[in-house]
Amino acid sequence: MHKYANPTVFMGLANGILPWAGMAMALLFFAGLPMALIVSPADYQQGEAARIMYVHVPAAWMGLMIYGVMAAGSAGFLIWRHPMANLIARASAPLGAMFTAVCLVTGMLWGKPMWGAYWVWDARLTSMLILLFLYVGYLALADAFEDSERGDKAAAVLALVGSVNLPIIHFSVTWWNTLHQPSILTMNGFTVNAAMLWPLFLMVGAFMTYYVCILVLRLRIEILNAKIRNARRARAAEPAVNGATQQA
Amino acid sequence: MDYLRMGGYADFVWPAYGAAAVGLIGAFVITWRGLKAREREFETMKRQRRGETS
């Protein structure tokens, strides 16, 4: 595991994965979108509006999963000073925020025709909104300090503390009275018919491979940022040394 | 054409897919542009560095 703490080794692996993840993503969207929009049956209660599920649920799962990745990366950074773990957390945060925002917007568009309101302050919706704020807070904190190391640490602590929200989101539909439907994944398997489950899985796969692709590109940005920062620091140190020798 | 009406839910289904498309494509475009900008910055830096040492 610690072998992959080396950015060169890690990026070698990540860049090798990229074309395969890209191809898998294209195939999954190519199969998933027509299945979600055309092939899958309309719901007997919700009619065609149920098709919103195929973007809403994958976006929600990605929002949660990416926060898990971010919290694990932050833990790896704080405990083992694993530099790649921190970069993975940093590179993941904007994508997690985007998926959470997509989840909230598609949820509102689904809520209006089904519940009669775009927004209700119930447990599931509110805890999901808090997830978005945690992402935004992480992003703001990570770049808030002149000294990037301090920003990284503060953001990592926030990511870890915020992970308490993940089980709250998951169990919110069981613990409290809510308008939101219960989880479709239960101890007895999935509670959704196969005709709807397949398009859902394909869309989840498409969103996941999308995340992998963009994550690799964002990791390249993070590594270039670090290189540029180090080069600037080295250059800033040089004139001071020259000045000192001239004085002597 | 009837299909596009989404059984009367067109006003909600299409914007939902649109929002997802905007989010995913937008994040890709921002990432791609950021990567290209950073690559250019790094290249100019390397070139300047070579210029200084020679």
Side-chain angles (χ1 to χ4, degrees):
Chain A
M1 199 54 201
H2 286 286
K3 183 172 77 175
Y4 296 110
N6 180 330
T8 318
V9 176
F10 188 91
M11 286 317 288
L13 181 78
N15 290 329
I17 289 174
L18 184 61
W20 298 103
M23 268 189 279
M25 178 189 76
L27 283 174
L28 285 161
F29 271 121
F30 191 71
L33 276 174
M35 276 194 81
L37 283 167
I38 302 164
V39 181
S40 76
D43 187 73
Y44 81 102
Q45 277 183 324
Q46 304 198 357
E48 307 285 346
R51 296 192 192 282
I52 296 175
M53 173 176 76
Y54 304 117
V55 282
H56 174 73
V57 172
W61 286 357
M62 292 308 295
L64 290 175
M65 193 202 82
I66 294 175
Y67 198 92
V69 170
M70 211 173 84
S74 298
F77 171 60
L78 289 174
I79 300 168
W80 296 290
R81 322 215 98 264
H82 199 304
M84 276 319 292
N86 181 47
L87 293 188
I88 289 171
R90 278 187 71 115
S92 293
L95 298 172
M98 180 276 288
F99 278 119
T100 306
V102 167
C103 166
L104 288 169
V105 171
T106 54
M108 287 166 84
L109 288 163
W110 199 1
K112 183 64 181 168
M114 292 303 126
W115 304 337
Y118 284 110
W119 188 264
V120 283
W121 291 102
D122 91 340
R124 173 54 74 82
L125 281 71
T126 309
S127 55
M128 208 61 196
L129 185 64
I130 291 171
L131 185 72
L132 180 63
F133 291 160
L134 284 169
Y135 275 123
V136 173
Y138 177 95
L139 285 166
L141 211 48
D143 288 324
F145 293 87
E146 196 77 15
D147 174 7
S148 61
E149 175 102 357
R150 281 181 69 193
D152 285 342
K153 271 190 197 158
V157 171
L158 174 74
L160 279 180
V161 173
S163 61
V164 72
N165 191 34
L166 294 184
I168 294 180
I169 296 172
H170 181 73
F171 291 110
S172 58
V173 282
T174 337
W175 290 345
W176 293 287
N177 275 323
T178 168
L179 274 176
H180 198 282
Q181 66 167 47
S183 182
I184 60 165
L185 176 60
T186 67
M187 297 294 270
N188 305 317
F190 286 94
T191 59
V192 174
N193 187 279
M196 288 183 165
L197 209 51
W198 269 107
L200 183 62
F201 278 162
L202 289 171
M203 291 303 285
V204 169
F207 277 28
M208 270 192 187
T209 43
Y210 166 90
Y211 165 61
V212 171
C213 292
I214 308 293
L215 179 65
V216 174
L217 297 180
R218 296 205 70 87
L219 283 172
R220 286 188 194 166
I221 295 181
E222 292 294 338
I223 285 172
L224 279 173
N225 274 341
K227 280 185 180 168
I228 291 168
R229 216 166 32 229
N230 288 341
R232 283 220 181 101
R233 210 174 284 161
R235 189 177 290 182
E238 274 168 13
V241 174
N242 291 341
T245 47
Q246 273 165 13
Q247 269 179 359
Chain B
M1 270 305 100
D2 210 36
Y3 166 76
L4 290 177
R5 288 187 57 251
M6 277 288 156
Y9 291 117
D11 289 353
F12 304 101
V13 173
W14 294 119
Y17 278 79
V22 166
L24 270 71
I25 294 168
F28 168 71
V29 170
I30 291 170
T31 300
W32 188 255
R33 281 192 182 164
L35 179 60
K36 291 298 141 194
R38 236 44 64 84
E39 279 173 351
R40 272 196 302 274
E41 200 180 338
F42 189 61
E43 280 307 310
T44 14
M45 218 168 191
K46 273 209 296 205
R47 232 176 291 132
Q48 280 173 354
R49 193 113 191 107
R50 255 179 267 143
E52 275 173 23
T53 48
S54 61

